[in-house]
Amino acid sequence: VQLVESGGGLVKPGGSLRLSCSGSGFTFSAFDMRWIRQAPGKGRELIASITNDSGRTDYADSVKGRFTISRENAKNTAYLQIDSLKPEDTAVYSCTAHRRVGQNEYIYQGQGTQVTVSS
C-alpha cells in the first residue's frame, strides 16, 4: 500500500498550487480521501475530505472557498487545488485514505509534501 503526494513547493502569497495524491496497492475507489496539514509547531488539521464516489466534499472553515478537493478513481489519484495562498497555509500537506468495513477501519497515509508560502 502506498500513497504518494506531489505538487508542493514555494509560492508567493496569493498564488496557487495543485497537490496530487497517487494511491497504489489498494482499491482506491473504495476509500474516502482526506487532506490534512501540519504547520510548524502546530497539530494536524483536517482540511478537506471527499467520499469514494465524489458524492460529498467537506472543508475546514480555514480553507473553505480557497481549496478544492477532487479525485479521479480511474487514475487512483486525489487532488487538492489550493488558491489564494496565505503565509499561514505553510505546512506539510498529506493525504489519507479511509475505509470502514464492518467494525474494521482501514487508514493509509502518505509521507506528505511541503507547501511554503512566502514573498
Side-chain angles (χ1 to χ4, degrees):
V1 173
Q2 196 170 22
L3 284 172
V4 180
E5 300 93 339
S6 61
L10 174 64
V11 63
K12 294 182 179 181
S16 298
L17 284 174
R18 189 192 197 200
L19 307 183
S20 298
C21 169
S22 178
S24 61
F26 65 102
T27 306
F28 184 87
S29 60
F31 282 68
D32 298 339
M33 298 299 296
R34 301 176 184 175
W35 284 94
I36 60 174
R37 69 182 180 183
Q38 186 162 20
K42 296 187 177 180
R44 299 199 322 173
E45 179 186 16
L46 172 61
I47 54 175
S49 62
I50 186 168
T51 53
N52 67 310
D53 61 356
S54 302
R56 174 173 175 161
T57 57
D58 291 288
Y59 299 92
D61 288 342
S62 57
V63 306
K64 200 170 294 184
R66 299 188 299 122
F67 289 19
T68 304
I69 189 172
S70 62
R71 65 190 296 161
E72 288 186 80
N73 286 342
K75 295 184 178 180
N76 289 348
T77 302
Y79 304 99
L80 186 69
Q81 177 68 38
I82 47 181
D83 299 318
S84 303
L85 278 159
K86 306 174 182 180
E88 52 264 42
D89 293 319
T90 295
V92 175
Y93 286 70
S94 302
C95 62
T96 62
H98 299 253
R99 184 184 185 191
R100 180 176 292 278
V101 181
Q103 295 186 340
N104 298 315
E105 186 170 14
Y106 300 88
I107 302 175
Y108 307 128
Q109 182 173 338
Q111 83 292 344
T113 185
Q114 177 72 46
V115 172
T116 302
V117 185
S118 175
S119 55

